[in-house]
Every structure is written in structure tokens, then in C-alpha cells.
Amino acid sequence: MMKKVIKPFLAGVLAISLLSACGNNGNSEGASGDKVQIEFFQNKAEAKATFDKLITKFNEANPTIKVTQVNPPDAETVLKTRVAKKDIPDVVGIGATDTYSTLSKSGLFEDFTNDPLIKNIQPAYLDMLKSMTGLTEMNGIPFSTNANGVIYNKAIFKELNLTIPKTWDEFIAVAQKVKDSGQNAFYLTLKDAWTTLPMFNPLESNIVGLDFFAQRAAGTVTFKDTYREVAEKQLKLLEFAQKDVFGKGYNDGNTAFAKGESAMYMQGVWAIPEIQKANPAIELGVFPFPSTNESTKNKLVSGVDTLLTVAKSSKHKEEAKKFVAFLTQPDNVKQYISEQKAFSAVTGVTQDDASVTDLKESFESGNLIDFADHYIPAGMKVETIFQEFLQKKDIDAYLTKLDTEWDKVTDRK
């Protein structure tokens, strides 16, 4: 699951209108004279400042090229709208989601299969892209990866003499001890529907497995027959959170956790910079979400957070690819992952931040699994189904709706 920022519809419409007014893939000339204009469209609001720094560095080193970043609200929707208008940005930075898969299978992006840049990418993430799209060719370059786990407050863990749990039962026992101390074990931000995903992804990926989605597409399995344990554990987590879970959003959660209002926070590593902004002195760590009672089965959820690709329709492919190559240089990847608390898809570039030390073992051993929601059609808006379920707590109705919506979106009768 990549972090999703839900913005009001009108803001998205305004962004679409403004972007469409630019037209011509951002390649128009004028104020910049003879400079080649390259538009870099990316979907991570929290990464905008970091990319701005890298773009400035690139532009200074390449005086005949000017890269401009575009980072609109609800970026994936804006991108799909622009594709429909045949107004595709030169360079796209996006997560390995259903949106990327759909656009890639439509033949919109360059084929990097034989590009030298591929040799520097960790094979596991190349395999994830192939699994996601079902294609043999590589239509993107994995750039950064992330992790979906449990962020914990080290001071509270020390105060209550808690140790990092390795199994589901240990996880619930830790949550109960925190609750018994009069504190919140978790801080939930269910006002923003997408924040249901950091709970769902490790449960689905580790309990059910990603093969489920191909089987569901083939009609050999159903959510109703397969997801009951996932559903029961989703509900169980609510017992250890603050009272107003549906009145708080992602930004509220980052601030509240930074202030010590919960011992744990089920989120991705992308939340760490925001937490540290609110409290630079906080001592925190991250551990893999222990979904099952078999510790060896509890893989860390990690996937391609940002991949880079070039539009086939770009008028300046050479310059666009030069920018992609620049971003994947080790020193630039290192700058990005250091500022974003992310991990590198480029071999030899490591994340050394102390806050994610507890995840190193999973990365070094390859005990990783992809985000389950990446395999769910975007049209299902599955996060809103999760949100509704956690409000109503009706497991049978929830599982039936998952099946119904899947069939509706995939046109399966």
C-alpha cells in the first residue's frame, strides 16, 4: 500500500483543469528559451520537497534541460484523466499500484527491459512489477521501496517493560498491557479511509496470501470463504485504540503519536518524517506486523513505493531518460531515502536511519511480501469498504460486499 492522500473532489477537478491548460506534455518553449522542457509528474505529496532539491541539482548540471515537477492532489485520478486526454507527462513517478498496472498494460510507457539501468535494481522488486502487471517487459524502473509495519514508542515500551512481539498472540498481549496501564495501544485514524490499509495489508498478505487474487479472478475462491480470520483480526485491533477512531485523520495520528498518545501506530515508514517534524526528540522504531502465530510466516510488507517511467508519447525521450538515470544514481537515491525514511530499490544503497533498524533483518533475509491492496482493482475503492466494515462490525455483510464489488468491477457474473 502506498500512502494515499484523499482530497476534496473540487480540488482534484481544479488540478485537472490547470494541468490540462498546460498541454503538450509540458514541452512548450518560451520563457526558458531553447531549453528542453520536461514535466515530472509524481504522486507523493510528502516527497515533493525532496524531489524539488534533486530537480534543482539536475537542472544546474544540465543547462539545456529544464525539469518541472507536478504533484497534484489525488494524483492517480488526475493522471488517468490526462491519459484519457492524451496529455501524458514526460516522466511519471508512481507506486506499483493497480493504476500503474492498468496504464502499463495499455502500452503507454517505454520498455526498459534491455536498459542498462535495470542491472542496478534489486531483482525482487523487478519481479514484483512483473507479477503486478503480468507482463514480461519492464515498463518502469523501481526507485524507492517502503515498509508497512508497526511504529512504536521506545520510551513507552521501556516504561512498561515490553518487548517487540513476534506473533499475533504476543502482539495482542502487548496491546493489552498498554491498555491495562491506562494508555492507548494504537492510534487509529479511520476518518481517512486509506488508513485502514496498513492494518489490512499484512493480515491479508501473511494469512491468505497474494495468490488469492489470481484465484479470485478465476472464480475458484471467494472472500466469504477465505477472509474470516482477516476480518476477525481487523475488528480485534479496534479494542485497543482511542475512542474517537473515526473522527481522526492521518495528520491527527502523526501528531498524536508524536506526543506519546499511543504506544504503537500501524502505519508505513512514510509517516516517520511527519512524526519527527511534530516531535524531533521522539525515540521510535518499527517492527514487522505479526499477523500469525507462526513467527517465520510473518513477512514484512514491502513494495515499490515509487517507480520511474517515461511516456512513449514524450517528444523528448532522450532527455526524459537522462533525468530518470540521474535520479537512480546512488548518491541521489541515498538523499531521497534518507529524507523520506524509505528504502532503495537500487542495489548497494542502504537505509541507515536508526528508526528503521528493526526492519533490517527482514530486508537482509528477503523475508518480504508485497502490498495486498496493490492487487485489488482500484474501482472497488476497497478502503471505503474496510472503513464501513470497521464502523458496522458485520463480518458476513463485509465479506459478501467484497465479493459483490469484486464481481461488479471485474464484470464477473
Side-chain angles (χ1 to χ4, degrees):
M1 185 239 27
M2 309 306 153
K3 179 193 169 233
K4 302 180 181 179
V5 181
I6 307 300
K7 297 290 185 182
F9 176 75
L10 289 178
V13 172
L14 177 60
I16 293 169
S17 301
L18 291 173
L19 289 168
S20 297
C22 296
N24 298 319
N25 293 335
N27 292 322
S28 60
E29 297 181 2
S32 299
D34 295 327
K35 289 187 178 183
V36 172
Q37 305 290 302
I38 298 297
E39 180 187 2
F40 174 45
F41 181 106
Q42 68 91 13
N43 70 327
K44 290 178 65 66
E46 65 272 27
K48 184 179 185 302
T50 298
F51 276 127
D52 276 340
K53 295 174 190 175
L54 292 171
I55 288 169
T56 297
K57 183 178 176 183
F58 176 84
N59 287 342
E60 289 175 351
N62 296 274
T64 62
I65 306 172
K66 182 178 180 181
V67 175
T68 302
Q69 178 178 186
V70 175
N71 176 232
D74 200 4
E76 289 193 13
T77 299
V78 174
L79 180 60
K80 287 185 283 188
T81 302
R82 290 187 59 177
V83 166
K85 295 181 178 182
K86 297 183 179 180
D87 176 29
I88 308 172
D90 300 286
V91 180
V92 175
I94 191 174
T97 63
D98 180 68
T99 295
Y100 164 72
S101 178
T102 300
L103 297 180
S104 184
K105 286 185 281 191
S106 298
L108 299 175
F109 302 133
E110 285 289 289
D111 180 5
F112 292 90
T113 304
N114 298 315
D115 194 294
L117 291 177
I118 290 291
K119 297 178 181 178
N120 298 323
I121 305 300
Q122 295 184 48
Y125 295 111
L126 295 175
D127 291 341
M128 283 185 186
L129 287 195
K130 289 180 181 179
S131 176
M132 166 64 55
T133 63
L135 301 174
T136 55
E137 68 179 44
M138 295 298 302
N139 296 118
I141 305 289
F143 173 65
S144 68
T145 68
N146 57 18
N148 181 159
V150 181
I151 305 173
Y152 70 102
N153 184 308
K154 291 185 176 181
I156 294 177
F157 264 53
K158 184 177 181 180
E159 171 197 340
L160 300 178
N161 196 29
L162 303 173
T163 57
I164 293 176
K166 303 293 186 181
T167 67
W168 172 260
D169 284 349
E170 290 175 359
F171 189 36
I172 296 303
V174 166
Q176 187 63 55
K177 286 181 181 178
V178 176
K179 183 177 180 179
D180 291 343
S181 75
Q183 302 179 70
N184 298 314
F186 308 122
Y187 202 94
L188 298 182
T189 56
L190 305 183
K191 180 179 180 181
D192 290 334
W194 75 265
T195 67
T196 60
L197 296 172
M199 292 187 287
F200 166 77
N201 280 319
L203 290 172
E204 199 290 339
S205 294
N206 287 301
I207 295 171
V208 178
L210 302 178
D211 290 343
F212 168 83
F213 299 105
Q215 296 165 3
R216 184 63 185 83
T220 59
V221 296
T222 64
F223 287 96
K224 191 168 186 178
D225 293 337
T226 313
Y227 264 50
R228 186 161 294 271
E229 182 181 350
V230 172
E232 290 171 347
K233 288 182 174 178
Q234 283 177 290
L235 284 183
K236 184 68 177 177
L237 296 168
L238 295 180
E239 298 177 16
F240 305 98
Q242 84 281 6
K243 292 181 180 179
D244 189 17
V245 297
F246 294 100
K248 302 298 182 182
Y250 175 67
N251 292 332
D252 299 317
N254 293 338
T255 302
F257 182 78
K259 292 180 178 179
E261 293 183 27
S262 73
M264 294 175 282
Y265 189 38
M266 293 175 287
Q267 260 298 347
V269 294
W270 54 79
I272 294 176
E274 300 304 311
I275 293 167
Q276 292 176 330
K277 283 180 187 177
N279 180 8
I282 190 171
E283 291 186 64
L284 56 78
V286 192
F287 59 82
F289 191 114
S291 302
T292 78
N293 279 326
E294 295 182 51
S295 59
T296 56
K297 286 183 61 177
N298 293 325
K299 295 182 179 181
L300 174 67
V301 172
S302 174
V304 179
D305 190 40
T306 296
L307 60 86
L308 303 169
T309 190
V310 172
K312 283 184 177 178
S313 61
S314 172
K315 296 178 181 178
H316 302 291
K317 292 181 186 178
E318 182 180 344
E319 290 84 358
K321 289 182 177 180
K322 186 173 185 178
F323 177 59
V324 170
F326 168 83
L327 289 178
T328 59
Q329 290 173 5
D331 58 332
N332 295 326
V333 178
K334 186 71 173 184
Q335 178 180 340
Y336 181 88
I337 68 169
S338 296
E339 293 186 14
Q340 294 300 311
K341 300 298 185 290
F343 297 86
S344 172
V346 177
T347 56
V349 182
T350 59
Q351 174 54 268
D352 303 317
D353 193 278
S355 65
V356 293
T357 298
D358 296 317
L359 300 182
K360 278 192 174 182
E361 181 181 346
S362 296
F363 280 98
E364 290 172 356
S365 65
N367 196 32
L368 308 170
I369 194 164
D370 203 357
F371 288 76
D373 73 296
H374 291 181
Y375 293 76
I376 299 175
M380 276 184 70
K381 297 189 181 300
V382 72
E383 63 272 16
T384 63
I385 298 176
F386 297 155
Q387 185 186 50
E388 179 186 47
F389 163 56
L390 295 174
Q391 287 176 316
K392 296 183 177 179
K393 302 179 175 60
D394 186 334
I395 291 179
D396 289 331
Y398 165 55
L399 299 182
T400 297
K401 185 164 187 175
L402 286 172
D403 280 315
T404 301
E405 292 301 312
W406 177 284
D407 290 341
K408 186 187 300 182
V409 171
T410 59
D411 293 322
R412 184 178 181 85
K413 305 302 182 183

